[in-house]
Amino acid sequence: MLLNLWIKCLNHLQNTIPRQQFIKYISPLQIKIIKNNFIIFAPNYYILDKITNYYFSIIENSINSISNKKYKIEIKIGPNTIEIEKSNLNNSKEIKNNLNPELTFENFVESKANKHIKLLSLEIINNLGKKYNPLYIYSEHGYGKSHLLNAIGNEIVKSNKHINIIYNKTEKFVNEMITAIKKYNMLDFKNNYRNKDVIILDDIQFLAKKKKIQEEVFYTINSLIENKKQVIISSNKHIKNIKNINKNLKSIVLSGALIKIKKTDISSRKIILTNRMKKLNFKINDKILSFIAKNINTNIRELESIINEININKSINKNKITISYIKKIILKKTKKKKIKKYQ
């Protein structure tokens, strides 16, 4: 029964997600059901991050629609992570530096309020370790921080293929350090990070209350800056507003450049929606597109989630896409009480 459900889900996803993306990100997944928990195992952190940020909603909708049951769905690293990461895969370079090659400046949507971000990023790329170091990027969740970090990283790699660069979620950095402490391997851990040319650390707010790890992050950043290596950090808020972060770490961050990613405007949201529909290979008319962009003004993930929901329902339930139908989806996904009318 479990196998049949997952096969049906895969068949549906294969018809929903572009073939190349399906093979690369969906095919390697494994599953397990424990009571009402549907657990998806990714083979490595690269695929885990990709599924979490781009495909989780569409997989969740597919599983629950096909099974006609409400599962609690979670995704985690599977038991064969090490084997896959060490195998000779075509994307081994991508796994090594953890950058997502699909997140670039070419598909990073700039709103009027964020026009300066790309210019400043390019200036940093052309002056690594010399200007605006460290670079600290912050915004609320879903505003494109991770996309921007990956775009900067990919642009750096494009200009210098041999550069020693790593992108990591702070949570992964913390887990690696804990493992190194347990295995009495801290020297290798320190050398691994301090010998990089560029370090990109995402979601540094995860360090709150972790005093020992904060100290290691501070010394690592300080060492890199002293050696003219570039440090790029992100968080969901200004460094001053993160509680339980030590003064040294705050001070070194404040010595660099701080960029805030602001909310997108309607025209930018329409571009984001259009880009998402291109990936999923379907279209809706401009009137409906404008209606969605006007009513979803929170974050990019919520915009993409609406498109995923429309695509799922369109293919499973064959629903006609109308303003009334879109209104129901928005109310369901956002729990709003009022919807702005289309004008």
Side-chain angles (χ1 to χ4, degrees), residues 10-54:
L10 288 175
N11 286 334
H12 174 257
L13 293 170
Q14 198 167 13
N15 295 322
T16 308
I17 296 169
R19 185 174 179 275
Q20 189 177 356
Q21 279 82 7
F22 178 87
I23 292 169
K24 193 172 184 180
Y25 305 119
I26 307 299
S27 293
L29 300 177
Q30 297 178 26
I31 54 100
K32 186 176 183 180
I33 292 180
I34 303 173
K35 293 184 179 179
N36 287 325
N37 291 349
F38 196 105
I39 304 167
I40 300 169
F41 294 103
N44 53 62
Y45 283 100
Y46 172 67
I47 290 179
L48 175 73
D49 190 57
K50 189 72 179 177
I51 296 295
T52 302
N53 290 321
Y54 291 93

Side-chain angles (χ1 to χ4, degrees), residues 119-299:
L119 292 172
L120 182 59
S121 298
L122 291 172
E123 192 173 348
I124 288 165
I125 290 165
N126 293 326
N127 297 277
L128 289 176
K130 299 173 185 174
K131 212 170 186 181
Y132 310 123
N133 197 20
L135 171 64
Y136 183 87
I137 299 166
Y138 67 103
S139 75
E140 294 177 33
H141 286 297
Y143 277 31
K145 287 192 305 295
S146 294
H147 189 143
L148 180 59
L149 292 176
N150 277 275
I152 293 170
N154 284 316
E155 197 67 26
I156 290 168
V157 171
K158 191 193 292 185
S159 61
N160 183 353
K161 290 181 181 178
H162 302 293
I163 197 160
N164 194 357
I165 180 173
I166 189 165
Y167 163 88
N168 249 351
K169 293 283 186 183
T170 302
E171 184 175 4
K172 184 171 183 284
F173 177 94
V174 169
N175 291 337
E176 285 179 2
M177 184 174 167
I178 291 168
T179 301
I181 292 169
K182 286 178 179 177
K183 293 184 176 181
Y184 304 98
N185 203 17
M186 273 302 291
L187 184 60
D188 285 348
F189 174 82
K190 290 177 181 181
N191 289 338
N192 178 45
Y193 281 94
R194 295 184 192 185
N195 289 331
K196 300 294 181 190
D197 298 312
V198 181
I199 280 186
I200 303 174
L201 205 54
D202 200 355
D203 286 332
I204 203 174
Q205 73 275 1
F206 191 78
L207 292 176
K209 296 183 180 179
K210 298 175 176 67
K211 292 181 181 180
K212 186 175 178 61
I213 296 172
Q214 286 178 37
E215 287 177 14
E216 178 56 32
V217 171
F218 165 74
Y219 288 124
T220 297
I221 292 172
N222 193 53
S223 174
L224 289 163
I225 291 173
E226 284 181 354
N227 289 292
K228 305 296 181 186
K229 308 299 184 181
Q230 185 66 48
V231 178
I232 302 168
I233 309 164
S234 88
S235 174
N236 64 348
K237 59 185 73 173
H238 195 290
I239 189 68
K240 287 182 177 178
N241 298 327
I242 304 176
K243 294 179 181 178
N244 300 303
I245 293 284
N246 74 44
K247 290 180 181 179
N248 286 336
L249 189 53
K250 282 188 178 182
S251 177
I252 202 165
V253 167
L254 291 169
S255 69
L258 283 76
I259 300 176
K260 182 179 181 180
I261 302 178
K262 297 176 183 176
K263 189 182 287 188
T264 54
D265 50 41
I266 287 181
S267 60
S268 299
R269 293 198 290 274
K270 285 178 73 175
I271 294 169
I272 291 163
L273 290 166
T274 302
N275 290 344
R276 186 63 187 160
M277 286 189 294
K278 280 181 183 176
K279 278 192 173 182
L280 297 174
N281 198 27
F282 82 101
K283 293 180 181 179
I284 55 178
N285 66 51
D286 192 70
K287 182 179 178 181
I288 292 172
L289 200 67
S290 297
F291 181 78
I292 297 170
K294 189 175 183 180
N295 280 285
I296 304 295
N297 61 358
T298 47
N299 62 59

